[in-house]
């Protein structure tokens, strides 16, 4: 046996277990090794460049190697990388907490830090539950939506509504009330697109009118259900949900982990409908896609219920409020402000939307959906009947592998092709992304046709 160092592909194959990956297939797939990033591009170990079409799983904001964020991390590193928030103050976390409260929807006054989206939601659920206990009440359940996704820890999984991801763990989960998803392309109430949204909100009201005293909070991904398939709620749905939850005295947890930080065209998705949640969860884009960090923001009323003698929120993580991550987050917010990032988005979002709409020309495109720079293209075997491909055929995965040849990295959600470039993407690169997808759909046309016919 030699002690030759293994190459990354071999090391990976022998020792690494990949997330959300059928590992039995992994070894036989052609692999890409990403060694660097620059702007909107990922660069592999052969120097080939690929457009980062899903923002490194939805978290990158201003591209890779952003001067200001790089610099902020280096400066922080010259002081300290990490010290605990248990019993001690750390300046970057205090400064970031202030910035987040100032920019968040009105009413959110306190920031609880953790490390990722799942823990942000986990903390939110525990806070909402304990808030009612603090008031001397017992509300042991939550209202959630079908197709909802809130992370992979068991509390967050309990709040999820995607059978493929969540079904296996059912015996371990707490009970929730499940309301329909405002997925109007395939309305589960069997209604036309224009009637789906309000009817879905009506179902929420029905549950609350009977169960409000058991429900600590409703948990929602505002405007777009991300992992459920880039499901864009019809206008007015979120506002209606806020009205109903208020009416029945149920708290609203807005999971802005995916939609926050400009992703939908506004800093936070709740702003589209002037909604003020009671609790808001942030992660993914918070550090510009650099380092793991998350925040759970709570209203003064909720915080005050804990701000009493003898009351403690027994929750915290070793790296809570990590100084490097908070420094990156502060720099991320500076880039937003100095670069007038949100002000410049509308023109490019319009271009993005137009190119998405044009995809409907292709034979197997059933639906296109988007809000801001969050786009989904649902591929179906028969657009006339909306008949889906057999999921065993892994059509979405096939397309996303095939587009690599055209210099783009994508990752699908089932047969929904997700398009989620960094907010910094140029007009030229938007065209590059869509030209590549159109070329790939043409390349794969014969294959899609045969797959579509197989099941007839
Ligand atoms: C990704 C995501 C999460 C989980 O975040 P992680 O950082 O992956 O744990 C939670 N909620 C939503 C809406 C997400 O998109």
């Amino acid at each position: 046996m030699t002690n030759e160092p293994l190459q990354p592909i071999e090391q990976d194959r022998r020792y690494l277990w990949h997330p959300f990956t059928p590992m039995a297939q992994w070894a036989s797939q052609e692999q890409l090794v990403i060694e660097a990033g620059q702007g909107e591009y990922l660069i592999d170990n052969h120097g080939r460049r690929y457009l980062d079409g899903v923002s490194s799983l939805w978290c990158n904001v201003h591209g890779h190697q952003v001067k200001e964020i790089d610099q902020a991390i280096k400066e922080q590193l010259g002081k300290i990388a990490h010290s605990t928030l248990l019993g001690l103050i750390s300046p970057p976390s205090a400064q970031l907490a202030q910035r987040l409260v100032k920019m968040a929807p009105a009413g959110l006054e306190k920031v609880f830090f953790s490390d990722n989206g799942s823990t942000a939601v986990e903390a939110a659920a525990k806070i909402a539950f304990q808030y009612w206990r603090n008031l001397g009440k017992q509300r042991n359940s939550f209202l959630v939506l079908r197709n909802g996704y809130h992370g992979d820890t068991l509390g967050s999984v309990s709040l999820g509504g995607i059978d493929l991801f969540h079904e296996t763990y059912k015996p371990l989960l707490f009970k929730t009330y499940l309301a329909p998803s405002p997925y109007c392309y395939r309305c589960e109430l069997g209604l036309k697109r224009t009637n789906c949204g309000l009817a879905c909100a009506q179902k929420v009201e029905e549950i609350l009118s009977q169960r409000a005293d058991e429900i600590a909070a409703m948990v929602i991904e505002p405007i777009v259900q991300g992992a459920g398939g880039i499901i864009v709620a019809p206008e007015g749905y979120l506002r209606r949900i806020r009205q109903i939850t208020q009416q029945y005295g149920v708290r609203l947890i807005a999971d802005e982990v995916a939609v926050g930080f400009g992703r939908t065209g506004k800093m936070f998705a709740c702003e589209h409908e002037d909604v003020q949640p009671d609790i808001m969860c942030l992660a993914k884009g918070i550090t510009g896609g650099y380092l793991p960090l998350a925040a759970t923001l709570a209203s003064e009323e909720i915080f005050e219920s804990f701000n009493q003698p003898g009351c403690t929120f027994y929750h915290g993580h070793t790296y809570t409020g990590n100084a490097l991550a908070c420094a990156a987050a502060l720099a991320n917010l500076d880039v937003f402000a100095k670069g007038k990032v949100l002000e410049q988005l509308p023109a490019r979002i319009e271009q993005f939307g137009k190119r998405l709409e044009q995809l409907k020309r292709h034979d197997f495109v059933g639906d296109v959906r988007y809000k801001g720079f969050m786009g989904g293209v649902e591929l179906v075997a028969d657009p006339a009947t909306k008949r889906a491909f057999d999921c065993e055929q892994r059509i979405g995965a096939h397309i996303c592998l095939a587009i690599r040849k055209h210099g783009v990295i994508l990752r699908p959600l089932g047969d929904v092709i997700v398009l989620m470039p960094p907010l910094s993407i140029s007009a030229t690169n938007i065209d590059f992304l869509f030209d590549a997808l159109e070329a790939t759909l043409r390349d794969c046309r014969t294959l899609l046709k045969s797959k579509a016919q197989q099941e007839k």
Side-chain angles (χ1 to χ4, degrees):
M1 215 178 97
T2 68
N3 284 325
E4 282 289 303
L6 296 170
Q7 292 304 300
I9 291 183
E10 195 51 36
Q11 276 172 332
D12 182 289
R13 202 161 275 167
R14 278 206 208 168
Y15 298 114
L16 205 144
W17 189 342
H18 282 261
F20 277 96
T21 302
M23 289 305 289
Q25 274 146 273
W26 177 252
S28 61
Q29 272 170 24
E30 199 185 321
Q31 301 301 348
L32 265 187
V33 180
I34 299 303
E35 280 189 345
Q38 215 170 52
E40 298 125 68
Y41 283 89
L42 298 168
I43 303 164
D44 77 3
N45 54 343
H46 302 288
R48 285 182 300 232
R49 296 161 68 84
Y50 299 86
L51 188 73
D52 189 354
V54 286
S55 296
S56 293
L57 222 77
W58 314 4
C59 66
N60 191 278
V61 180
H62 311 292
H64 299 278
Q65 291 204 55
V66 179
K67 223 174 44 260
E68 294 86 343
I69 306 179
D70 289 3
Q71 191 56 33
I73 294 172
K74 285 178 196 155
E75 261 170 43
Q76 183 57 42
L77 207 45
K79 297 176 192 157
I80 188 171
H82 177 71
S83 60
T84 183
L85 288 197
L86 278 69
L88 296 173
I89 289 172
S90 161
S93 65
Q95 201 187 338
L96 180 59
Q98 178 181 0
R99 295 268 300 262
L100 291 174
V101 166
K102 298 279 176 218
M103 66 197 277
L108 298 167
E109 303 287 348
K110 286 287 190 298
V111 180
F112 187 90
F113 284 114
S114 63
D115 314 333
N116 58 70
S118 308
T119 55
V121 172
E122 203 78 33
K126 285 172 72 176
I127 288 170
F129 169 80
Q130 194 172 342
Y131 157 77
W132 289 106
R133 304 262 301 202
N134 294 341
L135 303 187
K137 298 191 175 133
Q138 185 90 25
R139 292 193 175 194
N140 293 346
S141 195
F142 291 85
L143 176 54
V144 301
L145 297 182
R146 196 176 303 284
N147 295 320
Y149 177 80
H150 302 288
D152 296 331
T153 56
L154 283 172
S156 314
V157 169
S158 295
L159 301 169
I162 304 176
D163 284 346
L164 178 67
F165 299 166
H166 301 142
E167 183 72 25
T168 310
Y169 309 102
K170 265 227 167 104
L172 301 176
L173 306 181
F174 57 74
K175 185 173 165 304
T176 58
Y177 291 99
L178 191 63
S181 163
Y183 181 15
C184 300
Y185 176 63
R186 298 182 188 278
C187 175
E188 70 186 83
L189 305 171
L191 298 170
K192 286 213 184 81
R193 203 184 270 268
T194 44
N195 300 331
C196 160
L198 272 185
C200 287
Q202 179 67 32
K203 288 281 173 195
V204 169
E205 178 160 16
E206 279 169 35
I207 296 170
L208 290 183
S209 69
Q210 290 166 20
R211 303 288 181 182
D213 60 349
E214 296 170 41
I215 295 172
M218 174 167 180
V219 189
I220 191 167
E221 293 164 85
I223 310 288
V224 187
Q225 291 188 298
I230 315 295
I231 296 164
V232 182
E235 205 187 320
Y237 174 80
L238 178 64
R239 191 180 305 119
R240 184 76 192 118
I241 292 298
R242 176 69 281 195
Q243 285 166 353
I244 300 167
T245 48
Q246 229 143 23
Q247 185 187 336
Y248 289 93
V250 165
R251 299 295 163 252
L252 184 66
I253 299 175
D255 178 353
E256 292 243 5
V257 169
V259 293
F261 298 99
R263 184 44 69 190
T264 67
K266 297 208 184 265
M267 187 54 89
F268 301 112
C270 281
E271 295 172 23
H272 288 286
E273 305 203 347
D274 287 322
V275 159
Q276 298 164 9
D278 301 292
I279 298 180
M280 183 165 89
C281 305
L282 302 172
K284 289 195 170 94
I286 193 171
T287 60
Y290 267 65
L291 286 164
L293 180 71
T296 304
L297 278 67
S299 70
E300 192 68 25
E301 185 211 352
I302 289 177
F303 175 75
E304 273 309 314
S305 80
F306 287 82
N307 193 21
Q308 307 293 334
C311 185
T312 302
F313 181 43
Y314 286 104
H315 188 106
H317 302 280
T318 307
Y319 286 102
T320 289
N322 175 266
L324 288 178
C326 289
L330 287 165
N332 172 38
L333 298 180
D334 287 341
V335 176
F336 264 107
K338 290 203 187 106
K340 300 205 183 318
V341 170
L342 292 177
E343 291 85 332
Q344 288 177 15
L345 282 180
R348 271 175 292 124
I349 288 173
E350 195 189 324
Q351 180 194 0
F352 182 76
K354 262 192 197 137
R355 292 291 318 248
L356 264 169
E357 295 286 348
Q358 287 169 6
L359 292 172
K360 287 183 181 160
R361 298 184 296 215
H362 289 264
D363 286 348
F364 300 99
V365 171
D367 191 28
V368 302
R369 308 183 273 271
Y370 76 102
K371 187 78 182 177
F373 272 144
M374 207 168 180
V377 182
E378 183 163 338
L379 300 176
V380 294
D382 183 356
T385 62
K386 305 183 185 180
R387 181 170 60 89
F389 286 104
D390 179 356
C391 65
E392 299 287 311
Q393 294 179 327
R394 295 171 57 83
I395 295 296
H398 186 89
I399 298 291
C400 291
L401 273 181
I403 201 172
R404 290 185 182 179
K405 200 173 73 187
H406 297 280
V408 173
I409 300 291
L410 293 180
R411 182 163 172 101
L413 292 160
D415 288 344
V416 177
I417 308 298
V418 178
L419 299 162
M420 224 189 279
L423 303 189
S424 57
I425 191 169
S426 63
T428 313
N429 276 342
I430 291 175
D431 281 331
F432 177 79
L433 171 64
F434 283 96
D435 291 347
L437 182 54
E438 299 225 17
T440 306
L441 290 173
R442 284 194 299 269
D443 294 348
C444 298
R445 194 170 172 279
T446 313
L447 175 108
L448 292 176
K449 208 169 176 178
S450 74
K451 298 280 188 197
Q453 276 162 357
Q454 267 171 32
E455 304 154 46
K456 275 202 179 147

